[in-house]
Amino acid sequence: MRVWLVVVVLLTVCSSPMLTQPHSLDVEGGVVHQTSPVQTTIFPNTGWMTGGEERLIQGSGFTDLAYKNTSYDGIEHQWVETTADSTFEAGHENAIVVDSNGHVHVVHANGGTHELKHTFFDGTAWNSMKIKDCERSYCVHTHMVIDDNDELHAAYYAQGGYLIYMHYNGTDWSSTVVSSNAAYGGIGVAVDSSNYPHISYAASGNYCGSGLRLSSFNGSGWSTQTVDQHIDRGCDSALVIDGNDRFNIAYQSRDDSKMKFAMDNSGSWNIYAADAGESLYDLHPGYFLSMAIDEQGQVHIAHFDDENKDLRYSTGVPNGEWTSTIVDSAGNTGHNPSIGLDVADHPHIVYQTWSGFNFKYATIDPTTSEWAVHTISNNGDVGGSNSLFIDHVAFSDESNDVLRYASKPTGVSLTQEVTIQFGQEAAVTGTVLNDSTIRVTTPSVNTTGTVNLTLVDNNGEEHHLSSNFRFVDQDD
């Protein structure tokens, strides 16, 4: 559905560099701390004085030391659309993910046969298969994530108060009834570092439920806890689990017209108001909300204000400052938003406008730092159900009753870099390919000989490398 854990499009932070135990040398006026070199190898470890040769430095912990360099290709990329499933009444309540092979997976409901389907692109063509029949007459508010084994985890609400979890192991689908007391409305699903699923939802009762719940699987069974027990709270929730296995839930608090954010704090919950009006009914925020969290822990939420019929964007950090802006206020707009973050942690939002029932896309213009709004499709009633996985969008086309897919590169690229000093001769920028490899191009120098290598990290600190490099004169 609408919540993506940023970790599917960003580099993973790994272990720190291999350092031996530091020792200190006492000097007059203080203590000078010296550390042993970072254990590395460079191959080949010789090169011409003229430079321009590519070398690889091998070690560990380089990701932690790198700074990020974001660039834009400057190309006005266009959306490319296709039909993913042309079965009559396909595409309802869809959710999209992309696996490590670049294959797209969409789970969606068929409004005519009342069945759930798995549509996927295998690199050559689109394929569809039936997963199961919906409980009773409909299944809605589907949400899905993919784990680091490329297994799919989906959840949805079924008529009668049923909360259903589904799992795809790469070959077969299985499903489990997690609760028979769920309220109608958006739900969230996420997996922890053990790839165990967790689902946020509202308990049945009132318009917005009778409190926010979190159901968790521990490898053998499901358990449920109450996050916010107040009546008329908990609907339209979104769940993200961060790199420390902390639960982060955004949800609607309809009894006091607020959008709230709850973070797990070692068994208890800290709850904040992420968006609210100056008075009780100035805003009705938090409808259809979608959430992502970036590498720095910044929370990004797209949601609909049912009072003013606008698309809103709220961002902040737990126990810190939150800000909210109007992304689009042109008519009755901002329904069912889905948010994702690119490699530079910039937000991208897709949503439907009810003024014409068009499918729209909003992101922050890198040159103006303002929201820029574009139309993906205006061919009939499109985008009422949609989902976003950066560069990839699934959406319903209810005029033609098919599932549509669109893609567009963000044009943003991210490199992780460090500075490598070759003795006192020269310094070059090294590209961190992964946590254990840096690629450098050797500099041009004036003299031959062996030099020490030093890495300058993202904080400007120097790390001496155990490797040396020898410059050779081509004429010798």
Side-chain angles (χ1 to χ4, degrees):
M1 187 151 163
R2 301 186 303 274
V3 185
W4 310 111
L5 184 60
V6 171
V7 71
V8 296
V9 291
L10 300 176
L11 296 174
T12 305
V13 177
C14 301
S15 61
S16 58
M18 185 187 302
L19 299 175
T20 57
Q21 181 65 34
H23 65 277
S24 62
L25 174 66
D26 291 324
V27 297
E28 185 178 356
V31 177
V32 175
H33 294 283
Q34 299 177 338
T35 59
S36 298
V38 178
Q39 300 301 307
T40 58
T41 59
I42 182 170
F43 183 81
N45 63 353
T46 62
W48 305 124
M49 291 173 54
T50 52
E53 299 176 287
E54 185 176 291
R55 296 291 185 265
L56 296 178
I57 300 174
Q58 302 288 339
S60 65
F62 296 143
T63 306
D64 259 345
L65 305 177
Y67 56 88
K68 294 180 179 180
N69 184 23
T70 303
S71 60
Y72 300 86
D73 60 18
I75 300 173
E76 192 70 28
H77 295 281
Q78 302 298 317
W79 289 96
V80 178
E81 292 184 47
T82 189
T83 298
D85 189 336
S86 59
T87 306
F88 183 66
E89 291 201 37
H92 296 270
E93 310 296 332
N94 61 72
I96 188 172
V97 295
V98 181
D99 65 28
S100 61
N101 296 311
H103 297 164
V104 179
H105 301 260
V106 183
V107 168
H108 57 107
N110 186 291
T113 59
H114 303 295
E115 64 186 23
L116 281 165
K117 301 183 71 176
H118 177 195
T119 296
F120 57 95
F121 186 76
D122 61 9
T124 303
W126 287 97
N127 306 271
S128 291
M129 56 183 264
K130 177 182 176 179
I131 302 175
K132 63 189 296 289
D133 291 322
C134 297
E135 286 72 12
R136 302 198 179 182
S137 63
Y138 60 83
C139 37
V140 294
H141 298 296
T142 309
H143 176 51
M144 179 170 62
V145 293
I146 188 167
D147 68 25
D148 51 17
N149 294 319
D150 279 345
E151 298 188 9
L152 309 183
H153 304 261
Y156 64 93
Y157 172 88
Q159 184 183 16
Y162 292 101
L163 177 67
I164 311 295
Y165 164 75
M166 299 192 304
H167 174 233
Y168 181 66
N169 62 9
T171 304
D172 301 307
W173 283 93
S174 60
S175 65
T176 302
V177 176
V178 176
S179 175
S180 58
N181 188 40
Y184 180 92
I187 60 177
V189 64
V191 294
D192 59 27
S193 59
S194 299
N195 290 328
Y196 292 152
H198 307 262
I199 305 172
S200 63
Y201 64 100
S204 180
N206 284 59
Y207 296 103
C208 191
S210 57
L212 178 64
R213 304 289 190 265
L214 176 68
S215 289
S216 300
F217 183 72
N218 63 5
S220 58
W222 289 86
S223 62
T224 300
Q225 60 175 298
T226 297
V227 178
D228 187 335
Q229 64 181 356
H230 289 82
I231 301 299
D232 224 12
R233 296 183 186 179
C235 60
D236 286 346
S237 69
L239 169 66
V240 174
I241 301 175
D242 64 25
N244 296 312
D245 272 349
R246 283 192 300 257
F247 299 98
N248 302 269
I249 309 175
Y251 62 101
Q252 190 183 151
S253 179
R254 198 173 295 180
D255 69 323
D256 54 3
S257 295
K258 295 179 180 180
M259 181 183 69
K260 293 190 174 179
F261 175 82
M263 185 185 73
D264 176 40
N265 184 17
S266 302
S268 62
W269 291 91
N270 295 333
I271 298 177
Y272 312 92
D275 193 16
E278 294 184 4
S279 62
L280 184 59
Y281 298 114
D282 281 352
L283 299 175
H284 289 161
Y287 281 75
F288 316 123
L289 62 85
S290 175
M291 177 172 64
I293 299 179
D294 66 31
E295 190 180 46
Q296 307 305 316
Q298 186 84 9
V299 182
H300 306 260
I301 304 173
H303 56 108
F304 176 69
D305 171 14
D306 192 49
E307 173 66 21
N308 300 290
K309 313 302 181 186
D310 297 333
L311 173 64
R312 293 177 68 84
Y313 166 74
S314 299
T315 185
V317 293
N319 201 29
E321 182 179 354
W322 287 78
T323 60
S324 295
T325 56
I326 297 175
V327 177
D328 190 353
S329 61
N332 187 344
T333 192
H335 291 262
N336 296 319
S338 299
I339 193 170
L341 305 177
D342 62 28
V343 293
D345 288 337
H346 296 156
H348 300 253
I349 307 172
V350 296
Y351 58 99
Q352 188 187 51
T353 172
W354 279 15
S355 301
F357 296 97
N358 300 324
F359 188 38
K360 302 180 78 174
Y361 163 72
T363 191
I364 295 177
D365 188 313
T367 59
T368 65
S369 298
E370 300 291 335
W371 284 99
V373 175
H374 307 276
T375 298
I376 299 176
S377 179
N378 56 6
N379 185 25
D381 184 355
V382 287
S385 174
N386 65 75
S387 49
L388 168 68
F389 193 104
I390 286 295
D391 294 347
H392 308 270
V393 173
F395 62 100
S396 60
D397 177 350
E398 297 191 28
S399 294
N400 297 292
D401 286 313
V402 296
L403 170 66
R404 298 283 287 171
Y405 164 81
S407 63
K408 181 179 79 71
T410 61
V412 183
S413 61
L414 177 73
T415 54
Q416 297 205 97
E417 300 173 350
V418 293
T419 298
I420 302 295
Q421 295 178 347
F422 285 75
Q424 301 300 315
E425 297 291 326
V428 298
T429 298
T431 300
V432 177
L433 302 180
N434 52 52
D435 198 58
S436 61
T437 307
I438 299 172
R439 182 179 63 213
V440 296
T441 299
T442 59
S444 172
V445 297
N446 296 320
T447 60
T448 62
T450 300
V451 298
N452 296 322
L453 299 179
T454 302
L455 183 154
V456 182
D457 68 16
N458 49 16
N459 293 316
E461 297 181 1
E462 295 185 353
H463 303 263
H464 297 293
L465 307 185
S466 63
S467 307
N468 295 324
F469 189 81
R470 184 164 62 92
F471 286 102
V472 179
D473 191 334
Q474 289 176 287
D475 295 330
D476 290 344

